[in-house]
Amino acid sequence: MATHDPHRHGNPRDEAVELHAPVTPKVAEAPAPAVTDVVFDFADGKVPDLLGLTMILTAQQIAEKGQVQVWLLNVPERTWAILRALGLDPLFARFPKPRTQPS
């Protein structure tokens, strides 16, 4: 005796079975982000503490990998003296250049 299944409609042999391969989405290549320089502005005149110097040095390490320049803008002479004493001043571009003679 055949039983009725309410979830089956029609004859299973009449239904065409379609097999589909899994679809792999194509990801478009994103353009590389624009390379920009990093600028630290010391216009407030405050000398950075150890954390600030660490941030500047970390930015320089990251910048070297991306072939960008780290600029120190209006850097206090004391900060520049610390970088120079540590031999790190060649790693940075200082702007504006300090005046060698008073005007």
Side-chain angles (χ1 to χ4, degrees), residues 31-100:
V35 178
T36 59
D37 289 350
V38 178
V39 178
F40 287 96
D41 188 355
F42 295 91
D44 62 4
K46 293 182 182 177
V47 176
D49 57 5
L50 183 59
L51 180 62
L53 288 172
T54 302
M55 185 172 57
I56 293 168
L57 293 173
T58 301
Q60 176 57 34
Q61 288 178 333
I62 294 169
E64 285 177 351
K65 294 177 185 176
Q67 298 176 348
V68 298
Q69 179 69 49
V70 174
W71 292 83
L72 302 180
L73 181 64
N74 300 313
V75 64
E77 188 57 41
R78 181 169 176 222
T79 302
W80 194 252
I82 292 170
L83 292 172
R84 192 172 40 248
L86 295 171
L88 300 172
D89 56 316
L91 299 176
F92 303 98
R94 188 176 183 189
F95 185 81
K97 297 279 185 188
R99 294 183 180 149
T100 53

Side-chain angles (χ1 to χ4, degrees), residues 20-31:
H20 296 283
V23 177
T24 305
K26 292 183 180 181
V27 179
E29 289 186 29

